[in-house]
Amino acid sequence: MSEKHVFHRAQKRDWPQISHGEGVHLVATDGRRYLDACAGVHVVSVGHGVEEIADAMSAQARKVTFTYARFLTQPQLDLAERIAAMTPAGLDRVFFVSGGSEATESALKMARKYHLATGNPQKYKIISRWQGWHGNTIAAMSMSGRTSWRREYAPYLLDFPHLSAPIPYHCRLCDGSRCHLHQVEELERVIKQEGAENISAFIVEPILGTSACGVAPHPDFFPMVREVCDRNQILLIIDEVVTGFGRTGTSFGIDQWEVVPDIMATGKGLSSGYTPIAATVAHERVFEPIAAAGAFTHGHTYGGNALSCATALAVQDYIEKHDLISCCRDMGDLMLEKLKPLEDHPLVAEVRGRGLLTGVEFIADKQSRTPFDPALGVTSRMVDALFDREVLVMPGAPGLIDGERGDHIAISPPFTITAAQVQEVVDAVFASVDELAAFVAGVDVAAAGV
Ligand code: PLP
């Protein structure tokens, strides 16, 4: 068995091979059992190897798996109806794609089509945030932050304006309680500078996922954003690729602000990773002009295939049948409660989160809120220390403060995690922080350039 023919994204280490999954565990061929405390990458909400879902997949595969855009299938109709029933009122038109980047890119094109259809052909720019992430395709990356991932592809990226997304802990303008006001002010200023007549949409994650896991804005933030968007004929796109389908303890993250967006991008938890599927959901007020003007000239081969739709439907049925969104809320509260005492540790800046989307940030000097020198690789050290304890967490994207500095990890297990398993994760995190402290004690942090 050789890795020779796999073009892996990182070529540096021998990757363990997984033979199968069981609930919250991934089992490797060498017998190690990893507690998947990040659900892959915030994906596997119902756990691994659920038989009811495998049965639904097998039944659909025996009927029909693929038809192209000129046909509808029952699973597609049923899933669209199910999603429309879950999303905020009016978000009733579901466009199926195969992944989160396709979903955000489709949202960009939908917004463009809407403005063309409503007599505003000059509107095309999308405003986004430096601490946001919307995917890897060129337009999705153009709307994203994460400096380290953008840098090499910068010549291809579209010239879209970005706002700074305040991380209250690091805010230099206030004590963290008025960050939402600074950001709305910046949004208004950027709209003026770029010209409202050129702006198509503002895209934003309701609660940050990969770039600063668990950071949630002030209760007034989204109502204020909604008002600014309406006043300037700018569509509000909410990226629920991570936060959708229960991950933050409500059906969608934006439900916690009771604001209705114009377009919503979803993915990950829709199928819990049993098959690639995602969806862009449009409000009727966006859909109607596009439909009246003719076709939405956009689509991907696998979007809405019957097998993926049947699989996602089985996942959503499973979540409902086992009341897993409530479980996610309860286990998320427990995880946060048990990790919060880490904030007393000199190397832990903050523990934050909603539902089972929890972030832990590390800091070199608490007094001055100075982050570690990126060269120390603190995030990777934490992820590796947990990996050695057979607990999987996500490395937070580098540079949550300024594109370069800021270390953090994300914890987002399946909603089926038990209280005892939450405790296992918490114990492993505490032990790994102690290991980090021992490493830091042996390093001349000042000499390392902090
Ligand atoms: N949007 C958000 C908020 C994400 O976190 C991601 C990926 O992590 C994407 C979009 C892109 O999704 P995908 O990797 O499925 O293309």
Side-chain angles (χ1 to χ4, degrees):
M1 178 181 59
S2 146
E3 293 181 8
K4 190 172 151 207
H5 297 291
V6 176
F7 194 149
H8 202 284
R9 60 204 269 179
Q11 302 294 324
K12 287 181 196 143
R13 59 196 272 187
D14 293 333
W15 300 102
Q17 192 173 326
I18 296 301
S19 67
H20 63 285
E22 284 171 5
V24 299
H25 289 100
L26 285 171
V27 185
T29 46
D30 64 4
R32 296 188 91 184
R33 284 171 66 82
Y34 297 94
L35 201 165
D36 188 4
C38 54
V41 46
H42 321 309
V43 171
V44 186
S45 49
V46 300
H48 299 278
V50 175
E51 291 217 353
E52 282 160 75
I53 294 162
D55 290 345
M57 294 176 79
S58 155
Q60 185 60 44
R62 283 166 211 282
K63 280 191 205 154
V64 62
T65 55
F66 183 83
T67 60
Y68 195 50
R70 74 183 60 192
F71 298 109
L72 288 167
T73 61
Q74 198 60 48
Q76 194 183 51
L77 294 168
D78 291 346
L79 183 61
E81 190 176 334
R82 169 63 73 94
I83 294 172
M86 291 176 81
T87 49
L91 280 143
D92 287 343
R93 296 290 177 162
V94 182
F95 184 84
F96 288 112
V97 291
S98 303
S101 306
E102 284 184 17
T104 56
E105 189 127 350
S106 299
L108 170 149
K109 285 192 178 173
M110 247 177 221
R112 172 75 182 146
K113 282 291 281 191
Y114 167 82
H115 290 303
L116 287 173
T118 53
N120 287 305
Q122 70 284 22
K123 278 181 170 282
Y124 74 99
K125 290 191 183 187
I126 310 281
I127 299 178
S128 61
R129 307 190 301 172
W130 279 114
Q131 278 80 356
W133 179 248
H134 305 293
N136 268 305
T137 54
I138 294 302
M141 190 177 262
S142 301
M143 298 187 285
S144 299
R146 197 186 292 186
T147 310
S148 59
W149 280 39
R150 286 169 57 96
R151 204 169 271 138
E152 291 176 350
Y153 305 106
Y156 304 118
L157 300 183
L158 298 160
D159 179 21
F160 286 165
H162 288 60
L163 312 179
S164 48
I167 311 295
Y169 181 86
H170 293 288
C171 190
R172 298 280 175 193
L173 300 175
C174 70
D175 62 0
S177 63
R178 297 192 313 283
C179 297
H180 61 297
L181 302 178
H182 308 314
Q183 193 173 172
V184 172
E185 220 173 88
E186 195 180 346
L187 175 63
E188 296 237 45
R189 179 173 51 72
V190 167
I191 292 170
K192 277 205 191 85
Q193 285 170 334
E194 298 279 340
E197 69 280 10
N198 298 313
I199 308 292
S200 166
F202 176 40
I203 187 166
V204 56
E205 291 162 79
I207 298 159
L208 287 170
T210 55
S211 300
C213 187
V215 172
H218 189 278
D220 293 343
F221 177 65
F222 282 110
M224 292 175 80
V225 165
R226 180 72 269 181
E227 190 278 322
V228 172
C229 287
D230 288 345
R231 185 155 33 83
N232 291 283
Q233 290 182 280
I234 291 170
L235 296 184
L236 176 59
I237 302 172
I238 296 291
D239 183 342
E240 297 268 4
V241 170
V242 168
T243 49
F245 301 103
R247 171 58 60 194
T248 64
T250 45
S251 293
F252 294 93
I254 195 65
D255 295 346
Q256 296 172 33
W257 284 263
E258 294 181 8
V259 160
V260 179
D262 299 296
I263 301 174
M264 198 185 248
T266 73
K268 299 193 190 270
L270 173 54
S271 72
S272 185
Y274 280 76
T275 187
I277 184 171
T280 309
V281 190
H283 197 282
E284 281 292 338
R285 64 178 169 255
V286 173
F287 170 78
E288 274 164 17
I290 296 175
F296 179 35
T297 36
H298 171 66
H300 298 273
T301 297
Y302 288 115
N305 73 79
L307 179 58
S308 293
C309 288
T311 307
L313 201 54
V315 166
Q316 296 309 316
D317 282 346
Y318 190 85
I319 289 175
E320 189 178 323
K321 184 171 154 196
H322 297 277
D323 198 15
L324 289 186
I325 298 184
S326 303
C327 295
C328 171
R329 211 167 32 241
D330 294 346
M331 289 300 111
D333 288 349
L334 185 66
M335 182 78 79
L336 203 59
E337 181 194 317
K338 286 183 173 287
L339 286 174
K340 267 283 175 192
L342 264 182
E343 289 183 348
D344 295 334
H345 194 287
L347 298 187
V348 175
E350 206 174 38
V351 177
R352 51 208 172 207
R354 295 274 169 101
L356 278 170
L357 188 63
T358 312
V360 182
E361 189 186 336
F362 308 99
I363 197 91
D365 180 46
K366 240 173 168 165
Q367 196 70 33
S368 58
R369 303 205 166 182
T370 307
F372 285 104
D373 179 347
L376 292 176
V378 164
T379 299
S380 314
R381 278 179 188 283
M382 276 302 296
V383 172
D384 289 349
L386 282 153
F387 189 88
D388 291 343
R389 292 176 170 82
E390 299 182 9
V391 171
L392 307 177
V393 300
M394 275 298 293
L400 85 163
I401 299 169
D402 56 8
E404 292 195 339
R405 297 173 311 150
D407 287 281
H408 55 128
I409 57 169
I411 301 168
S412 55
F415 306 168
T416 50
I417 193 167
T418 62
Q421 289 162 338
V422 166
Q423 188 62 53
E424 262 182 68
V425 174
V426 169
D427 290 346
V429 174
F430 271 78
S432 301
V433 172
D434 285 344
E435 195 178 312
L436 177 68
F439 163 74
V440 169
V443 173
D444 184 346
V445 171
V450 174

